[in-house]
Amino acid sequence: MSAETASGTSADLRPGWVTRLKRVPVTLLLAWTIVFIVLAWAALPSLFTGYSGTEGVPGEQLRPPSAEHVLGTDGLGRDVYARIVYGARHSLSGAFVAVTVGLILGTLLGLIAGARGGWTDVVIMRVVDSMLAVPSLLLSLSIIVLLGFGTINVAIAVGAVAIARFARLARSEVMRVRRSEYVEAAFGSGGTFWAVLYRHVLPNSLTSVIALAALQFGSAILAISTLGFLGYGAPPPTPEWGLLIAEGRNYLSRAWWLTAAPGLVVVLVVLSADRISKALGRTAP
Amino acid sequence: MASYLLGRVGQALVVLALTFTAAFLLLQVLPGDAIMIKFMSPDMGLTADQIAEIRASYGADRPLWERYFTTVGNFLTGNFGISIQAGVPVSQQLATNLPPTLLLASLAFVAALILTIILATASNMVGMEWLRAGLQSLPSLFISVPVFWLGIMLIQIFSFQLGLVSVISPGPVERLVLPVLTLAIPISAPLAQILMRNIDQVLAQPFVAVARAKGASRSWVLWRHVARNAIMPTLTIAGVLFGELLAGAVVTEAVFGLSGLGGLTYQAVGNHDTAVLQAIVVISALAFVTINLIVDLLYPVLDPRLGSRSGAPA
């Protein structure tokens, strides 16, 4: 009886969070769940596993997945699941740095190009074009040669690739909003350029920038794992995901779980970022 | 048309010049000097004077602007400098390493095309809703798979689990099967995504409804009317695909231990062999710019609608 009245009143009100959650597609919900789990791994790895991410247990080498070791152990007796959990911090923070570098520098370049116009625009956009003309892996490799190996350098190298994409998006957003009537009105009523940019252009382009950031986060994880695999990232004891796969390669014939497990995690995270980015882009005005 | 052509070519040249300059600045002004890395090591036993002499022989002691213009002149005449690590001209290294990579890349491209056409056709012909949804989400999955991991998994499955492809002494064809597949799957993803979206767009057009109303079957419409219109826009990503093929080849060759442009790049990064890296960067940018230019110029010819709209004969 009481349940009936409760449902009756809630129908009159705005839909509750449960109803709204039910309208979210299952795949999107799954994508967010995966992202949250991986973020939790990165924040508090010791909550998710009792094993160490870098130190092995003697006599426990190359155990196949079991109840004790969910994803088996590697050649030094280290728990693979623990290494993936501890590796989340390296892979995610790398991707985070990369996206931040690309987002800030790229958006700034695009804003300036779109706002100033004229020669500034031409020069900036030709530089962006030339960045896009080089395959992204080659661009990253050139920057790694310049900066040297290491986690942060790899992250910056991956972020540099994203600069051009953010710059293009930011510029096109500025151009789009600039032509609209309310922006003209804002200028007409005495708004300075930067004030209009902040109050009108920025909020209107935020959705598409965030959607691109989500997409770039996924590709940054892919690129960082690729560079880690090639040996340009963090040095060996680090449980970075690409490095885990590279190490597992030596035991390909005997221990399939060493390469399969970290690779699957990368695929799931990248797929999730892709799915979330699509959902964000769809809600764009 | 002439001014458009001139403008496009000029723009392409500017992009190319910028790429060259950026690559030069990035790779020549770097801290880890390739000559130092090779000759400074104590086991070489060289004195400071001898090192200075070696630097002079490579032209590394000249001022930056002078080196820049010398390099520009050299590149224009097809001289890409000397690989410091290998001690041979870069052009010679490229000549030996380009053919195997070109073979791998073109085979992978053909395989990717076949895979794309199968995917796009199947997802449009299949009646079952869930199977169609599954096929349509396959490209997203392909894009999310790291190329190197895909290669390792294919070795794992086909060589170690099923024993279909020998790893120890594969024949010339057998050796290429898995690398081609590894490279083709991620390349097919953007192709399939664009093709599927285009097919959906074309299917929604009135002329398709007319053709169906006249009694054409679904497959007739798909092949005779939709395919031509849907394949055209796929051309626009040809340049991007080339870049993906090249980058994919670097990783694929590293995974399968093949020699080629990828292996050369990989070694050049490890050895700070900047001359090699600069040549590869500039050549790939040249290829990208040229492909995009050709597509841009060819597009109005292939699609008469674009030519007539601008009012100029294509």
Side-chain angles (χ1 to χ4, degrees):
Chain A
M1 199 62 179
S2 61
E4 215 171 72
T5 47
S7 68
T9 48
S10 73
D12 297 330
L13 297 169
R14 287 176 61 231
W17 65 273
V18 180
T19 337
R20 266 187 283 163
L21 205 61
K22 274 185 191 159
R23 281 188 208 144
V24 177
V26 184
T27 47
L28 185 60
L29 213 60
L30 216 62
W32 276 113
T33 315
I34 289 169
V35 167
F36 276 123
I37 290 175
V38 176
L39 279 177
W41 282 357
L44 297 160
S46 52
L47 272 187
F48 291 89
T49 172
Y51 295 102
S52 158
T54 44
E55 273 165 46
V57 182
E60 292 275 301
Q61 286 95 335
L62 294 177
R63 293 285 156 90
S66 62
E68 202 181 337
H69 298 283
V70 188
L71 296 175
T73 62
D74 70 0
L76 295 174
R78 295 174 293 197
D79 186 76
V80 174
Y81 169 67
R83 276 175 75 66
I84 293 174
V85 168
Y86 279 93
R89 183 173 287 177
H90 297 275
S91 299
L92 290 192
S93 60
F96 192 75
V97 169
V99 173
T100 312
V101 167
L103 181 74
I104 293 178
L105 290 180
T107 310
L108 207 64
L109 276 180
L111 281 181
I112 294 171
R116 297 295 295 270
W119 273 107
T120 324
D121 183 28
V122 171
V123 170
I124 291 180
M125 289 329 283
R126 287 298 88 78
V127 170
V128 166
D129 280 349
S130 69
M131 283 175 87
L132 289 170
V134 180
S136 50
L137 185 70
L138 277 185
L139 185 59
S140 295
L141 288 181
S142 305
I143 293 167
I144 287 171
V145 165
L146 180 74
L147 297 175
F149 300 170
T151 317
I152 292 292
N153 292 346
V154 161
I156 294 172
V158 170
V161 174
I163 290 178
R165 295 186 187 136
F166 278 106
R168 276 211 164 166
L169 177 71
R171 180 177 174 274
S172 73
E173 286 296 318
V174 172
M175 297 303 229
R176 183 175 66 85
V177 180
R178 235 183 135 178
R179 266 186 244 115
S180 52
E181 278 161 14
Y182 68 91
V183 170
E184 268 178 45
F187 277 125
S189 47
T192 62
F193 175 75
W194 290 109
V196 173
L197 202 68
Y198 181 73
R199 291 200 51 170
H200 300 288
V201 179
L202 205 63
N204 275 299
S205 49
L206 213 56
T207 327
S208 43
V209 169
I210 291 174
L212 181 65
L215 189 70
Q216 290 297 316
F217 191 77
S219 35
I221 285 184
L222 262 187
I224 286 172
S225 70
T226 302
L227 294 169
F229 171 79
L230 292 174
Y232 303 136
T238 320
E240 193 271 323
W241 290 343
L243 202 58
L244 287 188
I245 299 173
E247 286 171 3
R249 219 177 135 201
N250 303 330
Y251 302 95
L252 215 53
S253 55
R254 284 187 289 162
W256 56 267
W257 57 91
L258 286 183
T259 43
L264 273 177
V265 173
V266 172
V267 173
L268 284 177
V269 173
V270 176
L271 258 182
S272 304
D274 187 58
R275 181 72 188 85
I276 291 169
S277 164
K278 271 192 192 127
L280 289 172
R282 204 163 287 152
T283 54
Chain B
M1 193 63 197
S3 70
Y4 168 74
L5 195 95
L6 225 60
R8 270 307 274 114
V9 173
Q11 203 179 336
L13 285 178
V14 168
V15 167
L16 210 56
L18 275 172
T19 312
F20 176 83
T21 311
F24 176 82
L25 287 177
L26 207 68
L27 296 171
Q28 304 279 334
V29 194
L30 78 170
D33 188 321
I35 300 171
M36 287 304 187
I37 286 180
K38 188 177 175 189
F39 296 104
M40 275 288 270
S41 68
D43 11 305
M44 286 288 226
L46 295 171
T47 63
D49 283 348
Q50 283 169 315
I51 290 174
E53 207 172 289
I54 292 168
R55 286 179 67 83
S57 74
Y58 278 103
D61 59 336
R62 315 299 302 169
L64 197 64
W65 60 269
E66 196 184 320
R67 273 159 61 194
Y68 177 74
F69 285 109
T70 321
T71 318
V72 171
N74 285 344
F75 264 69
L76 288 178
T77 53
N79 172 8
F80 301 120
I82 291 169
S83 158
I84 287 160
Q85 202 63 34
V88 294
V90 176
S91 47
Q92 196 180 318
Q93 282 187 312
L94 288 177
T96 49
N97 284 301
L98 202 57
T101 304
L102 275 184
L103 179 68
L104 173 68
S106 28
L107 285 176
F109 184 65
V110 173
L113 276 185
I114 296 171
L115 200 62
T116 302
I117 290 169
I118 291 175
L119 261 179
T121 327
S123 74
N124 266 287
M125 301 299 282
V126 160
M128 282 163 286
E129 196 57 45
W130 61 271
L131 195 59
R132 179 179 300 194
L135 282 171
Q136 274 171 347
S137 57
L138 263 186
S140 299
L141 178 69
F142 287 173
I143 266 181
S144 308
V145 174
V147 179
F148 65 96
W149 184 70
L150 182 66
I152 291 174
M153 283 295 108
L154 289 176
I155 297 176
Q156 176 79 52
I157 294 166
F158 289 102
S159 295
F160 290 120
Q161 304 291 332
L162 301 176
L164 287 178
V165 181
S166 164
V167 270
I168 296 149
S169 56
V173 177
E174 205 178 4
R175 189 199 303 273
L176 277 175
V177 172
L178 293 184
V180 166
L181 206 58
T182 305
L183 197 48
I185 287 178
I187 295 298
S188 72
L191 268 176
Q193 271 175 338
I194 290 198
L195 193 60
M196 282 176 181
R197 200 173 57 218
N198 291 343
I199 288 178
D200 283 346
Q201 274 171 6
V202 178
L203 277 176
Q205 302 237 341
F207 78 86
V208 172
V210 172
R212 289 282 281 158
K214 281 183 173 174
S217 72
R218 202 182 157 81
S219 59
W220 172 275
V221 169
L222 200 63
W223 286 106
R224 286 303 176 101
H225 298 283
V226 177
R228 209 182 128 187
N229 287 294
I231 287 170
M232 286 286 301
T234 321
L235 266 181
T236 51
I237 61 158
V240 177
L241 273 185
F242 163 79
E244 301 244 333
L245 266 175
L246 196 70
V250 172
V251 178
T252 308
E253 285 175 5
V255 170
F256 289 92
L258 300 171
S259 60
L261 215 53
L264 191 66
T265 314
Y266 180 69
Q267 283 166 14
V269 173
N271 296 328
H272 286 250
D273 210 336
T274 51
V276 177
L277 212 54
Q278 190 182 0
I280 292 172
V281 166
V282 171
I283 288 172
S284 60
L286 174 70
F288 176 86
V289 166
T290 313
I291 290 171
N292 274 355
L293 195 62
I294 292 173
V295 169
D296 273 10
L297 298 181
L298 214 61
Y299 214 82
V301 182
L302 294 176
D303 192 342
R305 287 172 299 183
L306 290 175
S308 62
R309 196 176 299 158
S310 65

